[in-house]
Amino acid sequence: MDSATETAPSAVQPKTFWQNKILRYALLGLGIGIGLGALFLAIRPLFGPTEWHGMVIQSNQPVTNFTLTSSDGEPVSLIDFRGKVVMLYFGYTFCPDVCPATMIELSDAMETLGEQSEDVQVVMITLDPERDTPEVMRNYVAHFNESFMGLTGTPEELIAVTAPMGIFYERHEGSSASGYLIDHTATVAVLDKEGKLRLVYPFGITGAEMAADLKYLVRE
Amino acid sequence: MSRRWLAALFCILGITACQTNRAPIAVSEAWGPEVPAVAQNGIFYLQIRNHSQEDDRLLAVESPGCTAAELHETYENEHGLMGMRYLADGLSVPAGETVTLDVGGFHIMCLGKTAEFRAGEHIPLSLTFAAAGELTVEAVIH
């Protein structure tokens, strides 16, 4: 037998893919990595959103309670909403641009939330009690969503409510046709179920962005 | 003259012809949001394109749907307060530019609305420009 024609001994043969130890470990590592990643993604939503859409506020105390007049003329206190996520918006019905635009977004947020919206109370508080009677407020907010609540108060009551929340407003004269107008902080404040201030949304926030945050707050 | 040059020449002639025929000011996408019946005022937004070589200015707005219509601008001051100011001198529409009136910016405030701001309604608007004169459009409520 001619030894030169013999095939090389098997030990010198190149290893097959599965025989390569390093490759096997690398593949195992990759598999574990993907598995952990998938698990993390699956449970991630349980811990809250990756990013809140508003300005995040850390508060230890609930917002100081206040009592204003509901659209039925009855007194309503902030504490009455304990157990619900409360969204406070301060505006006035004479305002045609910023206020209705914000109310439409709030209404969109409620629609996006569906059943979960039952745990959210949107409250619009007027900064123009002279024009906005309880009846005006009732009809105004109901246009956007039947569940929305409109509150009024005396100028003194309103200052006591707004100042601690960082809401400011001032009247200025417009044209002869418009009469006075009101400059105001146009943010939306979000209080959790314990009445603590958690988020502040700037003007321009969308209903979808608010709904994404509220989804977590209602589950707390 | 090469074919390319001929094409370029026709192109320039074509554009010039267009510009002389086209209205100097075009107003489009006039709309207004639905407004609660109880609200005193409504609002209109639109786009103004100035096709001419001259700057123009929107001076006044009138509508049969409003007791008075005013040009306003929403602003935010250094303390974060938002408000509206009446544009007494009107709104500048520079040559060749488009000015957009939209939520949170320029708008036409419909004071003492008499028309219903309900989805599907059409409310006529008459805009007076310094150079282009009067223009009428219909705002769609949606």
Side-chain angles (χ1 to χ4, degrees):
Chain A
M1 213 172 179
D2 187 359
S3 65
T5 58
E6 271 179 18
T7 53
S10 62
V12 193
Q13 268 185 348
K15 288 174 183 168
T16 68
F17 184 77
W18 292 110
Q19 282 169 330
N20 189 323
K21 219 175 191 179
I22 298 171
L23 264 177
R24 262 208 325 261
Y25 280 124
L27 217 63
L28 185 69
L30 190 70
I32 291 171
I34 290 171
L36 282 176
L39 184 69
F40 174 74
L41 285 179
I43 61 169
R44 179 68 194 78
L46 300 177
F47 299 110
T50 43
E51 187 187 5
W52 296 95
H53 293 89
M55 182 166 54
V56 177
I57 311 282
Q58 309 265 358
S59 36
N60 308 317
Q61 295 288 321
V63 169
T64 311
N65 188 45
F66 57 75
T67 303
L68 290 170
T69 308
S70 80
S71 31
D72 308 320
E74 298 293 320
V76 167
S77 299
L78 184 60
I79 208 161
D80 298 342
F81 304 121
R82 216 42 64 86
K84 279 191 175 194
V85 174
V86 177
M87 305 187 82
L88 292 178
Y89 180 65
F90 298 83
Y92 65 121
T93 70
F94 198 81
C95 150
D97 189 33
V98 167
C99 305
T102 305
M103 294 300 282
I104 287 170
E105 295 305 330
L106 286 165
S107 162
D108 282 353
M110 293 300 104
E111 267 183 44
T112 308
L113 279 178
E115 266 182 31
Q116 285 183 308
S117 69
E118 287 168 22
D119 288 328
V120 181
Q121 179 65 56
V122 173
V123 180
M124 176 177 169
I125 298 176
T126 183
L127 298 172
D128 185 8
E130 204 175 305
R131 291 191 186 113
D132 295 338
T133 62
E135 199 190 343
V136 168
M137 287 305 285
R138 178 172 61 232
N139 293 324
Y140 186 82
V141 298
H143 168 88
F144 298 99
N145 188 302
E146 282 294 333
S147 77
F148 287 4
M149 188 171 273
L151 302 182
T152 60
T154 64
E156 295 74 26
E157 284 173 331
L158 289 171
I159 285 178
V161 170
T162 51
M165 295 203 60
I167 305 288
F168 300 99
Y169 57 105
E170 60 191 8
R171 261 193 199 206
H172 72 90
E173 281 309 311
S175 67
S176 58
S178 71
Y180 71 90
L181 298 168
I182 295 172
D183 291 0
H184 61 98
T185 315
T187 53
V188 174
V190 185
L191 279 53
D192 65 17
K193 290 182 173 179
E194 293 174 1
K196 290 176 187 164
L197 180 60
R198 294 285 294 274
L199 294 168
V200 174
Y201 292 124
F203 170 68
I205 189 88
T206 66
E209 288 167 331
M210 289 190 279
D213 293 345
L214 290 167
K215 221 167 50 181
Y216 293 104
L217 290 175
V218 294
R219 283 212 303 251
E220 282 182 358
Chain B
M1 202 186 276
S2 76
R3 237 189 229 170
R4 191 182 290 171
W5 282 107
L6 212 65
L9 181 69
F10 274 117
C11 207
I12 291 163
L13 283 175
I15 289 166
T16 319
C18 261
Q19 277 189 340
T20 46
N21 288 338
R22 188 153 53 181
I25 292 279
V27 175
S28 61
E29 287 165 59
W31 71 283
E34 275 198 289
V35 170
V38 70
Q40 291 186 46
N41 308 316
I43 194 161
F44 301 110
Y45 304 106
L46 43 81
Q47 260 190 25
I48 307 165
R49 175 126 183 79
N50 186 349
H51 294 293
S52 77
Q53 313 291 320
E54 279 171 60
D55 293 347
D56 206 340
R57 184 168 279 276
L58 174 59
L59 296 176
V61 185
E62 274 182 67
S63 170
C66 319
T67 309
E70 288 182 352
L71 273 165
H72 277 239
E73 181 185 14
T74 294
Y75 59 84
E76 188 170 355
N77 75 9
E78 67 273 24
H79 307 296
L81 296 197
M82 295 194 78
M84 291 180 299
R85 70 168 71 91
Y86 168 51
L87 300 175
D89 298 329
L91 178 61
S92 160
V93 189
E97 288 190 24
T98 301
V99 174
T100 304
L101 283 70
D102 204 358
V103 181
F106 298 124
H107 57 265
I108 296 162
M109 184 159 172
C110 174
L111 288 154
K113 68 178 164 67
T114 51
E116 297 249 30
F117 277 66
R118 258 203 316 244
E121 298 285 333
H122 288 69
I123 303 175
L125 282 176
S126 160
L127 313 173
T128 307
F129 291 89
E134 203 177 298
L135 236 155
T136 304
V137 291
E138 272 200 344
V140 183
I141 305 303
H142 62 79

